[in-house]
Each structure stands twice: as C-alpha cells, then as structure tokens.
Amino acid sequence: NGFALAVWIYVAANISGGHLNPAVTLSTFACGFFPLTHTVLYMGLQITGAIFGSLVTAGLVPGALTGDGGPGCFDRDAMSPEISNSQ
C-alpha cells in the first residue's frame, strides 16, 4: 500500500502538487504554503472523490451493497455475528 501511494503521489504531483489527502492539504495551508481558497476547493474535491470512489468500488464488488457477501471486509460470514449491518 505504501508503494502504491508513493506512485500516486508522483503521478499527481504535476497536477495537484501531490495533495491526495486532505490532511496534506490542511498542513500545507497551516504552514502558509497554500492559499485558503485552494485549500477549501482541494479538500472538498478530495472528500467528494473519496466518497465517489468508495461507491464505485462497492458497486463493482458483488454483494457489497446488499450484504450478500463478497471478498474481504464485505463478506458477512467473515464477521462476528454480534456485528449488525448498521455498525
């Protein structure tokens, strides 16, 4: 995961300066390297992109949206029976 993140930072560096995480954007603003308007815009788009990406991923994983199973953390059989769908 760390290597994949490093690759994405290098890929996005020319476009966004490598701001792939709202915490990075906030810290560059706090240090005075990024204007407030760009900070608000970047953080809003980063959060929107994360939500959209999670919905696309959930849509591509069979059974992820309905709780009928799927790989990894989407598999209800792999979780404790004490955990409800709302948790």
Side-chain angles (χ1 to χ4, degrees):
N1 289 341
F3 180 71
L5 179 60
V7 169
W8 275 111
I9 289 171
Y10 280 111
V11 167
N14 290 334
I15 300 167
S16 70
H19 294 230
L20 299 179
N21 185 331
V24 173
T25 304
L26 186 61
S27 66
T28 55
F29 168 72
C31 292
F33 298 119
F34 215 55
L36 177 62
T37 54
H38 289 162
T39 301
V40 172
L41 179 66
Y42 272 52
M43 290 180 71
L45 291 173
Q46 289 165 338
I47 292 169
T48 302
I51 292 169
F52 180 72
S54 66
L55 291 173
V56 168
T57 302
L60 293 174
V61 174
L65 294 175
T66 59
D68 293 335
C73 63
F74 297 112
D75 188 4
R76 289 292 296 144
D77 296 331
M79 292 187 228
S80 170
E82 298 174 3
I83 297 176
S84 68
N85 286 333
S86 62
Q87 292 176 315

Coordinates of all heavy atoms in Angstrom, one line a residue:
N1 N 0.8 -1.2 0.0 CA 0.0 0.0 0.0 C 0.8 1.3 0.0 O 0.5 2.2 -0.6 CB -0.9 0.0 1.2 CG -2.0 -1.0 1.1 OD1 -2.3 -1.5 0.0 ND2 -2.7 -1.3 2.2
G2 N 1.9 1.2 0.7 CA 2.8 2.4 0.8 C 3.4 2.7 -0.6 O 3.5 3.9 -1.0
F3 N 3.8 1.7 -1.3 CA 4.4 1.8 -2.6 C 3.4 2.4 -3.6 O 3.7 3.3 -4.4 CB 5.0 0.5 -3.2 CG 5.6 0.6 -4.5 CD1 6.8 1.3 -4.7 CD2 4.9 0.1 -5.6 CE1 7.3 1.4 -6.0 CE2 5.5 0.2 -6.9 CZ 6.7 0.9 -7.1
A4 N 2.1 1.9 -3.5 CA 1.1 2.4 -4.4 C 0.8 3.8 -4.1 O 0.6 4.6 -5.1 CB -0.2 1.5 -4.2
L5 N 0.8 4.2 -2.9 CA 0.6 5.6 -2.5 C 1.7 6.5 -3.1 O 1.4 7.6 -3.6 CB 0.4 5.8 -1.0 CG 0.2 7.2 -0.5 CD1 -1.0 7.8 -1.1 CD2 0.2 7.2 1.0
A6 N 2.9 6.0 -2.9 CA 4.1 6.8 -3.4 C 3.9 7.0 -5.0 O 4.2 8.1 -5.5 CB 5.4 6.1 -3.1
V7 N 3.5 5.9 -5.7 CA 3.3 6.1 -7.1 C 2.3 7.1 -7.4 O 2.4 7.9 -8.3 CB 3.0 4.7 -7.7 CG1 2.5 4.8 -9.2 CG2 4.2 3.7 -7.6
W8 N 1.1 7.0 -6.7 CA 0.1 8.0 -7.0 C 0.5 9.4 -6.7 O 0.1 10.4 -7.3 CB -1.2 7.6 -6.2 CG -2.0 6.6 -7.0 CD1 -2.2 5.3 -6.6 CD2 -2.7 6.8 -8.2 NE1 -3.0 4.7 -7.6 CE2 -3.3 5.6 -8.5 CE3 -2.9 7.9 -9.0 CZ2 -4.1 5.5 -9.7 CZ3 -3.6 7.8 -10.2 CH2 -4.2 6.6 -10.5
I9 N 1.3 9.6 -5.7 CA 1.8 11.0 -5.3 C 2.7 11.5 -6.5 O 2.5 12.6 -6.9 CB 2.5 11.0 -4.0 CG1 1.5 10.8 -2.8 CG2 3.3 12.3 -3.8 CD1 2.2 10.5 -1.5
Y10 N 3.5 10.6 -7.0 CA 4.4 11.1 -8.1 C 3.6 11.3 -9.4 O 3.8 12.3 -10.1 CB 5.5 10.0 -8.4 CG 6.6 10.1 -7.5 CD1 6.9 9.1 -6.5 CD2 7.5 11.2 -7.5 CE1 7.9 9.2 -5.6 CE2 8.6 11.3 -6.6 CZ 8.8 10.3 -5.7 OH 9.8 10.4 -4.8
V11 N 2.5 10.5 -9.6 CA 1.7 10.7 -10.8 C 0.9 12.0 -10.6 O 0.8 12.8 -11.6 CB 0.7 9.5 -10.9 CG1 -0.4 9.9 -11.9 CG2 1.4 8.3 -11.3
A12 N 0.4 12.4 -9.5 CA -0.4 13.5 -9.3 C 0.4 14.8 -8.9 O -0.2 15.9 -8.8 CB -1.5 13.3 -8.2
A13 N 1.7 14.7 -8.8 CA 2.5 15.8 -8.3 C 2.4 17.0 -9.3 O 2.4 18.1 -8.9 CB 3.9 15.4 -8.1
N14 N 2.4 16.7 -10.6 CA 2.3 17.8 -11.6 C 1.0 18.4 -11.7 O 0.9 19.6 -12.1 CB 2.7 17.2 -13.0 CG 4.2 16.9 -13.1 OD1 5.0 17.4 -12.3 ND2 4.5 16.0 -14.0
I15 N -0.1 17.7 -11.2 CA -1.4 18.2 -11.3 C -1.8 19.0 -10.1 O -2.3 20.1 -10.1 CB -2.4 17.1 -11.6 CG1 -2.1 16.4 -12.9 CG2 -3.9 17.6 -11.6 CD1 -2.8 15.1 -13.1
S16 N -1.6 18.3 -8.9 CA -2.1 18.9 -7.7 C -1.0 19.1 -6.6 O -1.3 19.5 -5.5 CB -3.2 18.0 -7.0 OG -2.6 16.8 -6.6
G17 N 0.2 18.9 -7.0 CA 1.3 19.0 -6.0 C 1.4 17.8 -5.1 O 2.0 17.8 -4.1
G18 N 0.7 16.7 -5.5 CA 0.7 15.5 -4.7 C -0.3 15.5 -3.5 O -0.2 14.7 -2.6
H19 N -1.2 16.4 -3.5 CA -2.2 16.5 -2.5 C -3.3 15.5 -2.7 O -4.3 15.7 -3.2 CB -2.9 17.9 -2.5 CG -2.0 19.0 -2.2 ND1 -2.3 20.0 -1.2 CD2 -0.8 19.4 -2.6 CE1 -1.3 20.9 -1.1 NE2 -0.4 20.5 -2.0
L20 N -3.1 14.3 -2.2 CA -4.0 13.2 -2.3 C -4.8 13.0 -1.0 O -5.7 12.2 -1.0 CB -3.3 11.9 -2.7 CG -2.6 11.9 -4.0 CD1 -1.9 10.6 -4.3 CD2 -3.5 12.3 -5.1
N21 N -4.5 13.7 0.0 CA -5.1 13.5 1.3 C -5.4 14.9 1.9 O -4.6 15.8 1.9 CB -4.0 12.8 2.2 CG -4.5 12.4 3.6 OD1 -5.4 13.1 4.1 ND2 -3.9 11.4 4.1
P22 N -6.6 15.1 2.4 CA -7.0 16.4 3.0 C -6.0 16.8 4.1 O -5.9 18.0 4.3 CB -8.4 16.2 3.5 CG -9.0 15.0 2.7 CD -7.8 14.2 2.4
A23 N -5.5 15.9 4.8 CA -4.5 16.3 5.9 C -3.3 16.9 5.3 O -2.7 17.9 5.9 CB -4.1 15.0 6.7
V24 N -2.8 16.5 4.1 CA -1.7 17.1 3.5 C -2.0 18.5 3.1 O -1.3 19.5 3.3 CB -1.2 16.3 2.3 CG1 -0.1 17.0 1.5 CG2 -0.7 14.9 2.7
T25 N -3.2 18.7 2.5 CA -3.6 20.0 2.0 C -3.8 20.9 3.2 O -3.4 22.1 3.2 CB -5.0 19.9 1.3 OG1 -4.8 19.0 0.2 CG2 -5.4 21.2 0.8
L26 N -4.4 20.5 4.3 CA -4.6 21.3 5.5 C -3.2 21.7 6.1 O -3.0 22.8 6.5 CB -5.4 20.6 6.5 CG -5.8 21.3 7.8 CD1 -6.6 22.6 7.4 CD2 -6.6 20.5 8.7
S27 N -2.3 20.8 6.1 CA -1.0 21.1 6.7 C -0.2 22.1 5.9 O 0.5 23.0 6.4 CB -0.1 19.8 7.0 OG 0.2 19.2 5.7
T28 N -0.3 22.0 4.5 CA 0.4 23.0 3.7 C -0.3 24.4 3.9 O 0.4 25.4 3.8 CB 0.4 22.6 2.2 OG1 -1.0 22.3 1.8 CG2 1.2 21.3 2.0
F29 N -1.6 24.4 4.1 CA -2.2 25.7 4.4 C -1.8 26.2 5.7 O -1.5 27.4 5.8 CB -3.8 25.5 4.3 CG -4.5 26.7 4.9 CD1 -4.6 27.9 4.2 CD2 -5.1 26.6 6.1 CE1 -5.2 29.0 4.7 CE2 -5.8 27.7 6.7 CZ -5.8 28.9 6.0
A30 N -1.7 25.4 6.7 CA -1.4 25.8 8.1 C 0.1 26.3 8.1 O 0.4 27.2 8.9 CB -1.5 24.7 9.1
C31 N 0.9 25.8 7.2 CA 2.3 26.3 7.2 C 2.5 27.5 6.3 O 3.6 28.0 6.2 CB 3.2 25.1 6.7 SG 3.4 23.8 7.9
G32 N 1.4 27.9 5.6 CA 1.5 29.1 4.8 C 1.9 28.9 3.4 O 2.2 29.8 2.7
F33 N 1.9 27.6 2.9 CA 2.3 27.3 1.5 C 1.2 27.2 0.5 O 1.4 27.0 -0.6 CB 3.1 26.0 1.5 CG 4.4 26.1 2.3 CD1 4.5 25.2 3.4 CD2 5.4 26.9 2.0 CE1 5.7 25.2 4.1 CE2 6.5 27.0 2.8 CZ 6.7 26.1 3.8
F34 N -0.1 27.4 1.0 CA -1.2 27.1 0.2 C -2.3 28.1 0.5 O -2.6 28.3 1.7 CB -1.7 25.7 0.4 CG -2.3 25.0 -0.8 CD1 -1.5 24.9 -2.0 CD2 -3.5 24.5 -0.8 CE1 -2.1 24.3 -3.1 CE2 -4.1 23.8 -1.9 CZ -3.3 23.7 -3.1
P35 N -2.9 28.8 -0.4 CA -4.0 29.8 -0.1 C -5.3 29.1 0.4 O -5.6 28.0 0.1 CB -4.2 30.6 -1.4 CG -3.7 29.7 -2.5 CD -2.7 28.8 -1.9
L36 N -6.1 29.9 1.1 CA -7.3 29.4 1.7 C -8.3 28.9 0.7 O -8.9 27.9 0.8 CB -7.9 30.5 2.6 CG -9.3 30.1 3.2 CD1 -9.1 28.9 4.2 CD2 -9.9 31.3 4.0
T37 N -8.4 29.7 -0.4 CA -9.4 29.3 -1.4 C -9.0 28.0 -2.1 O -9.9 27.1 -2.3 CB -9.5 30.4 -2.5 OG1 -8.2 30.6 -3.1 CG2 -10.1 31.6 -2.0
H38 N -7.8 27.8 -2.4 CA -7.3 26.5 -2.9 C -7.5 25.3 -1.9 O -7.9 24.2 -2.3 CB -5.9 26.5 -3.3 CG -5.7 27.4 -4.6 ND1 -4.4 27.8 -4.9 CD2 -6.5 27.8 -5.5 CE1 -4.5 28.5 -6.0 NE2 -5.8 28.5 -6.4
T39 N -7.2 25.6 -0.6 CA -7.4 24.6 0.4 C -8.8 24.1 0.5 O -9.1 22.9 0.5 CB -6.9 25.2 1.8 OG1 -5.6 25.6 1.7 CG2 -7.1 24.2 2.9
V40 N -9.8 25.1 0.5 CA -11.2 24.7 0.6 C -11.6 23.9 -0.6 O -12.3 22.8 -0.5 CB -12.1 25.9 0.8 CG1 -13.5 25.6 0.7 CG2 -11.8 26.6 2.2
L41 N -11.2 24.3 -1.8 CA -11.5 23.7 -3.0 C -10.9 22.3 -3.1 O -11.6 21.3 -3.4 CB -11.1 24.5 -4.2 CG -11.4 23.9 -5.6 CD1 -12.9 23.8 -5.8 CD2 -10.7 24.7 -6.7
Y42 N -9.6 22.2 -2.8 CA -9.0 20.9 -2.8 C -9.6 19.9 -1.8 O -9.8 18.7 -2.2 CB -7.5 21.0 -2.5 CG -6.6 21.3 -3.7 CD1 -6.9 22.3 -4.6 CD2 -5.5 20.6 -4.0 CE1 -6.1 22.6 -5.7 CE2 -4.7 20.8 -5.0 CZ -5.0 21.9 -5.9 OH -4.2 22.1 -7.0
M43 N -9.8 20.3 -0.6 CA -10.4 19.4 0.4 C -11.8 19.0 0.1 O -12.1 17.8 0.2 CB -10.3 20.1 1.8 CG -8.9 20.2 2.3 SD -8.8 21.0 3.9 CE -9.5 19.7 5.0
G44 N -12.6 19.9 -0.5 CA -13.9 19.5 -0.9 C -13.9 18.5 -2.0 O -14.6 17.5 -2.0
L45 N -13.0 18.7 -3.0 CA -12.9 17.7 -4.1 C -12.3 16.4 -3.7 O -12.7 15.3 -4.2 CB -12.1 18.4 -5.2 CG -12.8 19.5 -6.0 CD1 -11.8 20.2 -6.9 CD2 -14.0 19.0 -6.7
Q46 N -11.3 16.4 -2.7 CA -10.7 15.2 -2.2 C -11.8 14.4 -1.5 O -11.9 13.1 -1.7 CB -9.6 15.5 -1.3 CG -8.4 16.1 -2.0 CD -7.4 16.7 -1.1 OE1 -7.7 17.1 0.0 NE2 -6.1 16.8 -1.5
I47 N -12.6 15.0 -0.7 CA -13.6 14.2 0.1 C -14.7 13.7 -0.9 O -15.1 12.6 -0.8 CB -14.2 15.1 1.2 CG1 -13.1 15.4 2.2 CG2 -15.5 14.5 1.8 CD1 -13.5 16.4 3.2
T48 N -15.1 14.6 -1.9 CA -16.1 14.1 -2.9 C -15.5 13.0 -3.7 O -16.2 12.0 -3.9 CB -16.4 15.3 -3.8 OG1 -17.0 16.4 -3.0 CG2 -17.5 14.9 -4.8
G49 N -14.3 13.0 -4.1 CA -13.7 11.9 -4.8 C -13.6 10.7 -4.0 O -13.8 9.6 -4.6
A50 N -13.3 10.8 -2.7 CA -13.2 9.6 -1.9 C -14.6 8.9 -1.7 O -14.7 7.7 -1.8 CB -12.7 10.0 -0.5
I51 N -15.6 9.7 -1.6 CA -17.0 9.2 -1.5 C -17.4 8.5 -2.8 O -17.9 7.4 -2.8 CB -18.0 10.3 -1.1 CG1 -17.7 10.7 0.3 CG2 -19.4 9.8 -1.3 CD1 -18.5 12.0 0.7
F52 N -17.1 9.2 -3.9 CA -17.4 8.6 -5.2 C -16.7 7.3 -5.5 O -17.2 6.3 -6.0 CB -17.1 9.7 -6.3 CG -17.5 9.2 -7.7 CD1 -18.8 9.0 -8.1 CD2 -16.4 8.8 -8.6 CE1 -19.1 8.5 -9.4 CE2 -16.7 8.4 -9.9 CZ -18.0 8.2 -10.3
G53 N -15.4 7.3 -5.1 CA -14.5 6.1 -5.3 C -15.0 5.0 -4.5 O -15.0 3.8 -4.9
S54 N -15.5 5.2 -3.3 CA -16.0 4.1 -2.4 C -17.3 3.6 -3.0 O -17.5 2.4 -2.9 CB -16.1 4.6 -1.0 OG -17.2 5.6 -0.9
L55 N -18.1 4.5 -3.5 CA -19.4 4.0 -4.1 C -19.1 3.2 -5.4 O -19.8 2.1 -5.6 CB -20.3 5.2 -4.4 CG -20.9 5.9 -3.3 CD1 -21.6 7.1 -3.7 CD2 -21.8 5.0 -2.4
V56 N -18.2 3.6 -6.2 CA -17.8 2.8 -7.4 C -17.2 1.5 -7.0 O -17.6 0.4 -7.6 CB -16.8 3.6 -8.3 CG1 -16.2 2.7 -9.4 CG2 -17.5 4.8 -8.9
T57 N -16.3 1.5 -6.0 CA -15.7 0.2 -5.6 C -16.8 -0.7 -5.0 O -16.8 -1.9 -5.3 CB -14.7 0.5 -4.5 OG1 -13.7 1.3 -5.0 CG2 -14.0 -0.8 -4.0
A58 N -17.7 -0.2 -4.2 CA -18.8 -1.0 -3.6 C -19.7 -1.5 -4.7 O -20.2 -2.6 -4.6 CB -19.6 -0.2 -2.6
G59 N -19.9 -0.7 -5.8 CA -20.7 -1.2 -6.9 C -20.1 -2.3 -7.7 O -20.8 -3.1 -8.3
L60 N -18.8 -2.3 -7.7 CA -18.0 -3.3 -8.5 C -17.8 -4.6 -7.8 O -17.6 -5.6 -8.4 CB -16.7 -2.7 -8.9 CG -16.7 -1.6 -9.9 CD1 -15.3 -1.0 -10.2 CD2 -17.3 -2.0 -11.2
V61 N -18.0 -4.6 -6.5 CA -17.8 -5.8 -5.7 C -19.1 -6.5 -5.5 O -20.1 -5.9 -5.0 CB -17.2 -5.5 -4.3 CG1 -17.2 -6.7 -3.4 CG2 -15.8 -4.8 -4.4
P62 N -19.2 -7.7 -6.0 CA -20.5 -8.4 -6.0 C -21.0 -8.6 -4.5 O -20.3 -9.1 -3.7 CB -20.2 -9.8 -6.6 CG -18.9 -9.7 -7.3 CD -18.2 -8.5 -6.6
G63 N -22.2 -8.2 -4.3 CA -22.9 -8.3 -3.0 C -22.4 -7.3 -1.9 O -22.9 -7.4 -0.8
A64 N -21.6 -6.4 -2.3 CA -21.1 -5.4 -1.3 C -22.2 -4.5 -0.8 O -22.3 -4.1 0.4 CB -20.0 -4.6 -1.8
L65 N -23.1 -4.1 -1.7 CA -24.2 -3.1 -1.3 C -25.3 -3.8 -0.6 O -26.0 -3.2 0.2 CB -24.7 -2.4 -2.6 CG -23.7 -1.5 -3.3 CD1 -24.2 -0.9 -4.6 CD2 -23.3 -0.3 -2.3
T66 N -25.5 -5.1 -0.9 CA -26.7 -5.8 -0.3 C -26.3 -6.6 0.9 O -27.2 -7.0 1.6 CB -27.3 -6.7 -1.4 OG1 -26.3 -7.7 -1.8 CG2 -27.8 -6.0 -2.6
G67 N -25.0 -6.7 1.2 CA -24.5 -7.5 2.3 C -24.6 -9.0 2.1 O -24.6 -9.8 3.0
D68 N -24.7 -9.4 0.8 CA -24.8 -10.9 0.5 C -23.5 -11.5 0.4 O -23.4 -12.7 -0.1 CB -25.6 -11.0 -0.8 CG -27.1 -10.6 -0.7 OD1 -27.6 -10.7 0.4 OD2 -27.7 -10.3 -1.7
G69 N -22.5 -10.9 0.7 CA -21.1 -11.5 0.7 C -20.2 -10.7 -0.3 O -20.6 -9.7 -0.8
G70 N -19.1 -11.2 -0.4 CA -18.1 -10.6 -1.3 C -16.7 -10.8 -0.6 O -16.6 -11.4 0.4
P71 N -15.7 -10.3 -1.3 CA -14.3 -10.6 -0.8 C -14.0 -9.7 0.4 O -14.5 -8.6 0.6 CB -13.5 -10.2 -2.0 CG -14.3 -9.2 -2.7 CD -15.7 -9.6 -2.5
G72 N -13.1 -10.2 1.3 CA -12.6 -9.4 2.4 C -13.6 -8.9 3.3 O -14.4 -9.6 3.9
C73 N -13.5 -7.6 3.6 CA -14.4 -7.0 4.6 C -15.8 -7.0 4.2 O -16.7 -6.7 5.1 CB -13.9 -5.6 4.9 SG -14.0 -4.5 3.5
F74 N -16.2 -7.3 3.0 CA -17.6 -7.2 2.5 C -18.3 -8.6 2.8 O -19.5 -8.7 2.7 CB -17.7 -7.0 1.0 CG -17.2 -5.6 0.7 CD1 -16.0 -5.5 -0.1 CD2 -17.8 -4.4 1.1 CE1 -15.5 -4.2 -0.4 CE2 -17.3 -3.2 0.7 CZ -16.2 -3.1 0.0
D75 N -17.5 -9.6 3.2 CA -18.1 -10.9 3.5 C -18.7 -10.9 4.9 O -18.0 -10.9 5.9 CB -17.0 -12.0 3.3 CG -17.6 -13.4 3.4 OD1 -18.8 -13.5 3.5 OD2 -16.8 -14.3 3.3
R76 N -20.0 -11.0 5.0 CA -20.7 -11.0 6.3 C -20.4 -12.3 7.1 O -20.5 -12.3 8.3 CB -22.2 -11.0 6.1 CG -22.7 -9.6 5.6 CD -22.6 -8.5 6.7 NE -23.4 -8.8 7.8 CZ -23.1 -8.5 9.1 NH1 -21.9 -8.0 9.3 NH2 -23.8 -8.8 10.1
D77 N -20.1 -13.4 6.4 CA -19.7 -14.6 7.1 C -18.4 -14.5 7.8 O -18.1 -15.3 8.7 CB -19.7 -15.8 6.1 CG -21.0 -16.1 5.5 OD1 -22.1 -15.8 6.2 OD2 -21.1 -16.6 4.3
A78 N -17.5 -13.6 7.4 CA -16.2 -13.5 8.0 C -16.3 -12.6 9.3 O -15.4 -12.6 10.0 CB -15.2 -12.8 7.0
M79 N -17.4 -11.9 9.4 CA -17.6 -11.0 10.6 C -18.3 -11.8 11.7 O -18.9 -12.8 11.6 CB -18.4 -9.8 10.2 CG -17.7 -8.9 9.3 SD -18.7 -7.4 9.1 CE -18.8 -7.3 7.4
S80 N -18.1 -11.2 12.9 CA -18.8 -11.8 14.1 C -20.3 -11.6 13.9 O -20.7 -10.6 13.5 CB -18.3 -11.0 15.3 OG -19.1 -11.4 16.4
P81 N -21.0 -12.6 14.4 CA -22.5 -12.5 14.3 C -23.1 -11.4 15.2 O -24.2 -10.9 15.0 CB -23.0 -13.8 14.7 CG -21.9 -14.7 15.1 CD -20.6 -13.9 14.8
E82 N -22.3 -10.9 16.1 CA -22.7 -9.8 17.0 C -22.7 -8.5 16.3 O -23.3 -7.5 16.8 CB -21.8 -9.8 18.3 CG -21.9 -11.1 19.1 CD -20.9 -11.1 20.2 OE1 -20.2 -10.1 20.4 OE2 -20.9 -12.1 20.9
I83 N -22.0 -8.4 15.2 CA -22.0 -7.1 14.5 C -23.2 -7.0 13.5 O -23.4 -7.9 12.7 CB -20.6 -7.0 13.7 CG1 -19.5 -7.0 14.6 CG2 -20.6 -5.7 12.8 CD1 -18.1 -7.0 14.0
S84 N -23.9 -5.9 13.7 CA -25.1 -5.7 12.8 C -24.7 -5.0 11.6 O -23.6 -4.5 11.4 CB -26.2 -5.0 13.6 OG -25.8 -3.6 13.8
N85 N -25.6 -5.0 10.6 CA -25.4 -4.2 9.4 C -25.2 -2.8 9.6 O -24.5 -2.1 8.8 CB -26.5 -4.5 8.4 CG -26.4 -5.9 7.8 OD1 -25.4 -6.5 7.7 ND2 -27.6 -6.4 7.3
S86 N -25.9 -2.2 10.6 CA -25.8 -0.8 10.8 C -24.4 -0.4 11.5 O -24.1 0.8 11.5 CB -26.9 -0.3 11.7 OG -26.9 -1.0 13.0
Q87 N -23.7 -1.3 12.0 CA -22.4 -1.0 12.6 C -21.4 -0.9 11.5 O -20.4 -0.5 11.5 CB -22.0 -2.0 13.6 CG -22.9 -1.9 14.8 CD -22.5 -3.0 15.9 OE1 -22.3 -4.2 15.5 NE2 -22.5 -2.6 17.1

